[in-house]
Structures are given as C-alpha cells and as structure tokens.
Amino acid sequence: MSNSAAGLLVALVGNPNTGKSTLFNALTGLRQRVGNYPGVTVARKSGICDLGDGRKVELLDLPGLYSLAAASPDEQVVIDALSGNIVGARRPDAVVLVVDATNLLRNLFLASQVAELGLPVVIALNQADVAKEQGLRIDTGLLSRRLGGVPVVLTSAWQGEGILDVRRGIARALTEPAPMKRVSWPTDIAGALAEVAAAAAADTGRPITEAEAQRLLFDTNPSTAERLGWALARREKTLRVARDRVRHSGYNPMAAEPLVHYAHLRLILEGVVAEGLGKAGRSAAVDRLLLHRFLGPVLFLGIMLGFFGSVFWLAKFPMEWIQAGVDWTKSIVAPPLDAYPMLQSLLADGIIGGVGAFLVFLPQILILFLFIGILEDSGYMARAAFIMDRLFSWCGLNGKSFVPLLSGFACAIPSLLSTRTIEDPKARLATAFVVPFMSCSARFPVYALMCAAFIGPVYGPGWQSVVMIGMHCVGLLFAVPTAFVLTRLVLKVKPQPFVLELPRYQMPKSRDVLWRMWQNAAEFVSRAGTVIFAITIIVWALSYFPRDPAVAERIQAAHPTAAPEVVTAKIQAAYVEQSYMGRFGKAVQPVFDPLGFDWKITVGVLASFPAREVIVSTLGVTYSVGEGAEADSQHLRKAMQDAKWSEGPRAGTPIFSLAAVLALMVFFALCSQCGPTVATLAQETGGWRWAAGSFVYMTALAWLAGTAVYQVVSRLS
Amino acid sequence: MTPLSQLLPGQFGKLASLNPERGVDQRLMALGLLPGMILKLIRKAPLGDPLAIEFGGQVVSLRLAEAENLIVDVSADCPIQRPRQP
Ligand SMILES: Nc1nc2c(ncn2[C@@H]2O[C@H](COP(=O)(O)OP(=O)(O)O)[C@@H](O)[C@H]2O)c(=O)[nH]1
Ligand SMILES: [Mg+2]
C-alpha cells in the first residue's frame, strides 16, 4: 500500500449519511482509488488531499458507523484501521470526524469514542447549510475550547464551503496535535478497565491500549479479544470480575459506555448550540404521505415500477445503438481478413463479440446506478426499506434487500454491488446469494425466442404473455425458500438488529449522483469487463478448434449445387459439431437428456456461460442458419421448429416439444450461466467458496426443475 | 409502564428501561436512546411492522419484536398528545 510523498495518512470517520464521501470528494477531487480491505468485503477508498501548505496527505474514506462497538464488518474495519491493525496499512496520523451539524449530540458520541484512541482529530460540522436553515447557531470556538482545543470547522461539503478550513485544520492537527478531551471514567470503571488491560497484556504478551481495554470490557462481541488472541478460557474470569465491579458501582457494564459518554457530551454541548427561528423540516409532512398506511404502498409501487420500468425503456435505445455499432465494427474489420479465417473469427467473434457482449449492458447499469443514487440521496431508500421490511424479515433478509433484488431484474452485477448497503453480514450474504435468481435482462432473449417460436404460434399471444410473465416469477419462487434455508440453517452468523435511521428528505444533487454513477460503472467495467472478455475468448477458442479443412471440403463436395450461404452455414455447423465444445456437448448430452435437450441445445447451454443470451447465437450456428441470429430471427425459428430427433427412442418427434421448450426456459431461469455474476459474487462475499456454492446450487436446481418440467409436461401432452 | 411496541402512533413516552445485553438496545443506546429519554412513536409501517420512533431529533425505525423489551413510562411528565385513533 503506497503512501503519499510525505507519508501521512488521514482518515475520515463519522456516522452514516453525514457527508463523509461528499467531503472526501471535495478534498481529493479526482485523485482517488477504490480497493478492498483484505479478507472482508468492505470497500477501501483512498485519495490524495492537498493541505494547501505544500504538504499532501493520503485521505481514507472509512465506512459510516454509529459506535466503535464492533458489531458489523464495517465497524470492525474502522476500529482496525484506526488502531493500525489492518495488514499492510498504517495507523492514521490524524482523523477528521465528520459530524452532522444538525444532531451534534448523537454524532459526537462516536467522536468521543474515537478520542479514546488518542489520535489528533479535526471536527468538521458538515451540512452547515441545513443547520443554518433550521435556525441553529453553533459556537464553534466554544466547542473547540471545550474539546481541548481541537480544530472545529463548519462545512457544507456539497457546496464546497469550509473545505479550505478542513485542509487547514488537518495541517494544524498534524503539526501541533491537540488531543481531544476525553471522558473521565468513574473510579470503578477506570479500575475495571485497568484490570482488563493488565490481565490481557499479561495473557497475550503484548501491550493493550486503553481503547482496546474498553472494547474488551464493554462489547458483547468477542472480535477484539479474538484479534488480540486472548483465549476465552483466560479472559472469561477477568471480564466477569471486571464487569461485576462496574455493576456494583451502579452501572450496567453493557450500558456504561454510552451513559458516561453521553453525560460527558451533554456538559460539553451546554450552550454551544443556540436555537433561533428557522424552518422546521418538511420531512414529517412528506412522510405522512409517503409512509401512509394505504397511499404509502401504492406510491411505493408506483415509484419502483416507474424507476425500474424505465431502466428497460431508457436503456433499450442505447443498447440497440451499441449492438449496431458492434455489428458495424465486425463488418468493417472482417472482410479484409478473409484470407486469414482464424484471425478473422478471433477478432470478430472473440474479441469484438466479447467486448460487445458486455458493452450492451452498460446503459442498463448506468441507469440503474443513477436511480439507486437518486433513491439514496433523496432519503427515500430508507423509507423503501421501512415499508418492505415486513415482507423480508421472516426469511432472514431485511428491508434493505429489496432494492438489490429489484435491480436484479435488470442485471445481477450492479445489484450485487448494491448489497453493500446492507449492514447485517448475514442478510447481505443471503441477499447476494439469491440476487442471481432474479430474472435478469439477459434471460429475456432466451424466453423471447422460445415463446415466439413455440408458444405464440401454437397457443396464441395470450399464453405467450402468460409464459413470459411466469418465467420472470420462477426465480422468485425459488429465491425465497433459498434465503430462508440459508439464513436459518446454513449461516450461523448472529443476525443484526434492524435499526435504521430515516434521514431527512433532500433534493439529490445531480453532480453527486452522476459522480457516483460514474464510479460504480467504472468499477463494473474493470471487474465484469475483464471476466466477460476472458470467458468469451476461451469459449470462442473451444468452439473454433480444431478446424480440419477436410470438413469444409467434404461439405462443399456433397452440396455442389446449393447456394453459397447455405453451404457456409452448413460448414460452420459442421465445424462447431466437431470442435472441442461440440464434442464436449455431445459427451455430456446424456446428462441433459432428462430435460429433453439434444446435443445442440447442450452445446448452447455450455457455450452460454459468459452470458445467457449467447445461447441464441449458438443455436443459430448449430442449426445452420448462420451467425448473428437474434431472438426474432425467422430462419432460426423455422429451423428449430423443423428440428427432429434423428435417433434414440424419440426419433422422428420434434426436439422442441412443448415440454422441452418449457424445460429449457425453466433451466435458464434458474441456472447460473453468467461468468461475471459468479466472479462478482466471489468478490462481494470475500472468496470463491460462496460463488462456487452458488454455481453448484443453481445448476443443480436448474437441472432438477428442468427435468421435472420435461418429465411431467411430456407425459401430460 | 408499557412496552414500546404497545404505544399508539403519536403517543409519547419516557424510556424507563431497556436490556443492555441485547444488540438492538446497544445500537439504540449508541444513538442516544438512554433511560430517561423522551421518545415518540411516530407510526407503524404500512404492514404493521417495523415502527418509526423519534428521539433526540432523529427518526429511527426498529422492529416490533425488538421494541417489546423497551419499557416506556407514558405518565404525566411527557408532553400531552392525544393518540390518533388507529
Ligand atoms: N445539505 C447538505 N447535504 C449534504 C452535504 N454533504 C453531503 N450531503 C448529502 O448528504 C447525503 C449523504 O452524503 P454522503 O457523502 O454519501 O455521506 P456518507 O454516508 O457519510 O458518506 C448525500 O445525499 C449528500 O448529497 C452538505 O454539506 N449539505
Ligand atoms: Mg459514504
């Protein structure tokens, strides 16, 4: 981990939603990097901040939290980062505490805990614009003196106000560090803390800081003790004795910390905030409407359907342009290479096809992140979670699972990234695990092709719509029990309480929203882009090689009078049949036989691992209608309608019977044929274990459900 | 003395006791909900759960089951407010 020239590291710490990230952006500009903390799925954002006096420091944007009690992975990361316990990362040299100026008392609780770490601090009272509007006047000089002379500055991060003061404050905190005033613990608590520190130091053989002793004494969560390597058997008795001592002095040991800190802060804040005349917030009135018992859910459905419906609608046009652009590029690049068929195919089908395969999803992803940004910044996201929590809590998820799951209908990858907003690690993991069950837009072409070719013509457009809608629900049907079993039986993590702040409503700032959209999209491109690309090239190679020229000659000789396109298509089909992919498909076809898949469908299933919709073009090749087949292609539809089993017990009957068509769609509704999703899942769950589990589980489920559908329907019809 | 979960929307109460051993209560204490604090049940979610409560100038949502262990005093020294009819 590199540091800036001066080697100084400054961390931003604060409650969620105080404006840390906005302040971070204002202080660092475009010079930022996003990574991950080792072993956990918490994003590590850092950037370079110019202090204005010639010095540059590395600035770290830490996750938002309310307390240093290590309950969630986010909180643990902050504690570890502030204590210098993260492998490869240094302890910060100073901390900027970002505080919501409209709620000093609550925000300063965390600040007061951080003061116990003994780091130089700067206090940024952010959202000063809102405080002013509410008529709050804050005596920053008095607050600074009461806190022991630490710099206290008023900022309005999104207007860029006070940013210079923050830079100066950091510079001052670094050159003449003034420790922030700490709480004075009542004698017995101080004694208990000293006992714990001494015992832990003796047992672990390392010095224990006061802040660590506090975590050991006050937290029910054993993560600090475990990190220090203080064995349960040894610490149990010490902690019991120390906690009894606290209890006998009149404090519940689990409540002592907030009680002492809040009492301390009430004194400090005495006379700091003057309440003048100001506009009361309108949030309560807006909530009366948006959280109304009947209107609330109606408006909620309207907003969600409006937003996510328009993801499809708005993205449609750029997607078509990108598709056209990709086809155009192929048509330009391919002809000059006619003499080098291998290179031509690698470039056109492998590289350009691979880039195109993931570029087409970019519009959807951008729009999705735009909407998620608007929902979050306006304050409605928390309300959505409030409204939906009841529907999710019984299966171990919570209201915050709703938006990731809904986004999953567009694309699983951004929706996996958006599960980061769920604090509860158990609910986060379970949500991420079921997100791929949502019927993403890559499944749509598969359903569309099957329905247009086999359902519509035979059963009419009514049934076609029913099947389309039904297919979008299949995943949901399995997602809910999956989440239930996963959270109840598999994950042994303790559930987190669902305590959610409902922030005030606010008009989203377009600049912030667009910036976040851009950052998320860039992350998607760098992450999914490389994976899709690599998998596409591999699948291309498997379907291209080996390429024996004798095959082409034989087909040419057999069809001397046929039109050239027909011959080319037949040659292509023959090549795929004897390619590694074709051979593999034939070899594993028996596995898919219970679902009624012939070897061509099997090859399509296997080749569509980079992305589900690839099966449409693969079927185009294997059914000899040429490449570039699309879901609405007449030729492909006809070829598939005419396809018959050539051997075996089903010889002579159509391959695409109703049973096989339904089985194929159900298989695609449930299978895990999306490389980037698997890769993102691995990244977001912190290892390949869950990603592999998801792949195996979904594939098995898809196979079983497909088999059940085929066997039942083929007997009925 | 009433569990918070039984307050009516619009009703005020003074927190009498909570259970500091539980994660939810620890979270709420970090937010400043300590014994003696006046709080108000603003509303229940449309499906009846969770609840939205207000204290110390902030609105926080918590689940009905989690509100059962929070005991509030709804007697005289709280601001008088007629509860809305459910
Ligand atoms: N009114 C106002 N809103 C702000 C200010 N700074 C940030 N915000 C908004 O507060 C919300 C939370 O900001 P963010 O930076 O994401 O907070 P974080 O969770 O602490 O990183 C966003 O909607 C911001 O646009 C400010 O100075 N004034
Ligand atoms: Mg942030």
Side-chain angles (χ1 to χ4, degrees), chain A residues 66-67 75 103 106 109 220 252 254-255 262 288 291 293 297 386 389-390 393 397-398 497-502, chain B residues 20-21 23-24 26-27 29-32 34 43 45-47 49-52 56 58-63 66:
Chain A
Y66 293 110
S67 153
E75 292 166 355
N103 193 346
R106 193 215 50 210
F109 171 65
T220 25
N252 182 311
M254 298 296 123
Y262 271 101
R288 264 196 288 284
L291 296 181
R293 213 152 14 125
F386 180 69
D389 185 57
R390 187 64 235 277
S393 57
L397 306 180
N398 67 43
F498 187 63
V499 174
L500 178 76
E501 192 187 353
L502 301 182
Chain B
E21 315 280 327
V24 197
Q26 286 167 9
R27 186 54 57 102
M29 286 190 295
L31 292 173
L34 297 165
R43 63 166 50 76
L47 294 172
D49 187 15
L51 314 171
Q58 59 195 329
V59 183
V60 167
S61 134
L62 75 163
R63 289 184 179 153
E66 297 167 341

Side-chain angles (χ1 to χ4, degrees), chain A residues 16-17 19-22 45 61-64 516:
Chain A
N17 262 315
K20 281 180 307 304
S21 302
T22 314
K45 251 173 79 182
D61 183 14
L62 289 171
R516 205 116 34 91

Side-chain angles (χ1 to χ4, degrees), chain A residues 79-336:
Chain A
I79 298 168
D80 288 345
L82 292 181
S83 347
N85 286 320
I86 290 186
V87 191
R90 293 174 324 108
R91 185 167 193 245
D93 300 286
V95 174
V96 178
L97 288 161
V98 186
V99 162
D100 179 351
T102 63
N103 193 346
L104 288 189
L105 180 63
R106 193 215 50 210
N107 278 259
L108 286 176
F109 171 65
L110 176 70
S112 185
Q113 281 185 319
V114 171
E116 297 293 306
L117 294 163
L119 291 165
V121 302
V122 179
I123 295 188
L125 306 180
N126 192 40
Q127 312 213 3
D129 53 317
V130 184
K132 196 168 155 199
E133 208 178 276
Q134 294 183 355
L136 302 176
R137 263 175 299 125
I138 302 171
D139 189 341
T140 50
L142 179 61
L143 183 57
S144 168
R145 279 196 301 284
R146 293 246 179 97
L147 290 174
V150 301
V152 175
V153 299
L154 276 171
T155 62
S156 183
W158 74 353
Q159 274 138 354
E161 277 168 29
I163 304 302
L164 196 62
D165 297 330
V166 179
R167 291 186 210 275
R168 287 201 197 112
I170 298 174
R172 210 181 97 202
L174 287 170
T175 33
E176 32 182 308
M180 179 167 152
K181 178 132 185 357
R182 297 174 45 181
V183 294
S184 44
W185 296 101
T187 329
D188 279 305
I189 297 182
L193 285 169
E195 279 165 23
V196 168
D203 286 345
T204 61
R206 53 197 272 183
I208 300 295
T209 64
E210 287 173 66
E212 281 166 343
Q214 289 165 21
R215 301 279 46 92
L216 291 169
L217 180 65
F218 298 137
D219 288 0
T220 25
N221 186 315
S223 59
T224 307
E226 278 161 12
R227 184 176 50 68
L228 292 169
W230 195 14
L232 180 64
R234 315 216 55 153
R235 69 175 189 254
E236 226 172 7
K237 179 151 176 290
T238 311
L239 287 179
R240 201 179 51 241
V241 171
R243 284 175 184 161
D244 279 344
R245 184 168 172 190
V246 175
R247 192 171 285 117
H248 285 133
S249 73
Y251 285 99
N252 182 311
M254 298 296 123
E257 191 186 25
L259 283 170
V260 173
H261 276 290
Y262 271 101
H264 163 76
L265 289 170
R266 285 215 169 80
L267 287 179
I268 286 187
L269 286 176
E270 187 85 42
V272 166
V273 185
E275 288 186 36
L277 279 180
K279 275 189 283 180
R282 284 188 305 269
S283 290
V286 178
D287 268 344
R288 264 196 288 284
L289 181 68
L290 290 182
L291 296 181
H292 184 272
R293 213 152 14 125
F294 305 115
L295 276 181
V298 172
L299 291 169
F300 170 81
L301 277 180
I303 292 171
M304 292 299 156
L305 287 180
F307 265 18
F308 288 87
S310 53
V311 170
F312 293 99
W313 185 77
L314 282 176
K316 210 177 124 225
F317 305 101
M319 284 170 89
E320 280 167 10
W321 301 333
I322 290 173
Q323 195 57 58
V326 168
D327 293 343
W328 179 82
T329 316
K330 273 192 199 176
S331 70
I332 293 296
V333 170

Side-chain angles (χ1 to χ4, degrees), chain B residues 1-4 7 12-17 39 70-74:
Chain B
M1 296 293 159
T2 328
L4 173 60
L7 250 56
F12 285 83
K14 182 171 168 181
L15 185 66
S17 73
L39 56 83
L70 298 170
I71 307 299
V72 293
D73 180 357
V74 288

